[in-house]
Amino acid sequence: MTVRVGVIGAGWIGKEHIRRLTHTVTGARVTAVTDIDAARAEEAAAPAGARVLPDGAALIAADDVDAVLVTSWGPTHAEHVLNAIAAGKPVFCEKPLATTAEDCLKIIEAETAHGRRLVQVGFMRRYDAGYRQMKQVIDAGGIGEPLIVHCAHRNPTVPESYTSAMAALDTAVHEVDVLRWLLDDEIVSTQVVTPRATSKRFAHLKDPQIMLFETAKGVRIDLEVFVNCQYGYDIQCEAVGEEGLVRLPDPSSVAVRTAGQHSTTVLTDWVGRFADAFDTEFREWIANLAAGTEPTGPSAWDGYAATVITSATVEALESGRVVATDLKPRPTLYGGTA
Ligand code: NAD
Ligand code: ISE
């Protein structure tokens, strides 16, 4: 069975996912595209042989759309996801699920009323081979009980439009999701400290930031977010346990020795760093849809938790306080008891 996908938002990542669904993932075809910029929609639809529809509502209602992919701007996600649930169609939503906890809860309520999972959120790190190996080690007790996690998320530069709040909402959101999954634990408090700022930033930006999270089991996480580090796109993660530690591997790269130097490459963007993870993420999503099973990737609950925790982190940055994350009880649809 070929899964016919409609795409809402034909910008940077929308085009990237259309290419992926057309050329890399088997069993899928992009049949419809929409964007508020019609020329952009045409440009993205043509190589996939897809038609252009006027808006998200028309695309979700279309007979030749079995599943919906939302890659528009964050503040528009909730409307499209809610419309897809109302139509009973599976929906993959790039992060964030929604920009407010209230909108995430509306999605959870709608999906719970539907009675089965339709929503998957685009936290692709859960599909990265290195993080998956780390999880296998931790789950098998290979380092004993985890106690501390050290992380870094570095981008070479960011544009002037990037704000201090985006360090949590747009960037650290990936660690928030992957660490909740890796540790099978919940983040209960968050704090931000700001070291000396880099001179390589736009003046309004607090960069770098050190985020400190505490989990329900008492694990402490320190995360350096440094989005003007200059030298490359660098993701680091090391979990320390009672009996050992496990570290995320760097992407493989040949080592060159010449002229008295030994060097390897550092990648420069997230597109290359997580290309394989994005491919696996979509292969598994399409395989679930083709089999008629519920999605197994990050759920609407995970999207809700990420929005609550990153919003609390912005509050922590602005107030200088330790802020408790305040999650509602988890419904049974997502493995909880509420
Ligand atoms: P972008 O600005 O390049 O593209 C967004 C597109 O959506 C634009 O073409 C815009 O015209 C269109 N759009 C906005 N509102 C719309 C609406 N209501 N209906 C139809 N089209 C609409 O942005 P981007 O970098 O592609 O990011 C898109 C989303 O993907 C964001 O939520 C972002 O956080 C997420 N993202 C995720 C990752 C990741 O690592 N998983 C990386 C980058 C971006
Ligand atoms: C971007 O939106 C992403 O999602 C990238 O994965 C992240 O590394 C970057 O910091 C964000 O701006």
Side-chain angles (χ1 to χ4, degrees), residues 59-135:
L59 182 138
I60 289 165
D63 287 342
D64 61 351
V65 169
D66 303 317
V68 179
L69 169 57
V70 179
T71 46
S72 51
W73 295 321
T76 71
H77 289 182
E79 178 193 342
H80 301 309
V81 173
L82 285 166
N83 283 343
I85 296 171
K89 293 194 180 181
V91 53
F92 182 112
C93 180
E94 259 307 337
K95 57 87 180 167
L97 174 63
T99 48
T100 65
E102 291 69 29
D103 278 350
C104 291
L105 287 170
K106 281 186 200 156
I107 291 169
I108 285 173
E109 206 176 296
E111 195 178 36
T112 305
H114 178 76
R116 108 189 259 273
R117 276 194 58 191
L118 289 172
V119 179
Q120 177 160 326
V121 185
F123 290 122
M124 76 295 185
R125 289 202 190 176
R126 296 187 187 201
Y127 300 87
D128 176 74
Y131 276 114
R132 284 188 160 187
Q133 285 163 23
M134 284 184 79
K135 182 155 178 66

Side-chain angles (χ1 to χ4, degrees), residues 13 94-95 122 124-125 153-155 157-159 162 166-167 169-175 225 227 233 235 269-271 274 278:
I13 207 161
E94 259 307 337
K95 57 87 180 167
M124 76 295 185
R125 289 202 190 176
H153 186 152
R154 305 192 185 107
N155 293 57
T157 56
V158 288
Y162 187 101
M166 286 170 75
L169 302 174
D170 199 50
T171 297
V173 67
H174 287 293
E175 270 80 11
V225 176
V227 293
Y233 182 76
I235 303 299
D269 61 38
W270 51 269
V271 184
F274 290 110
F278 282 121

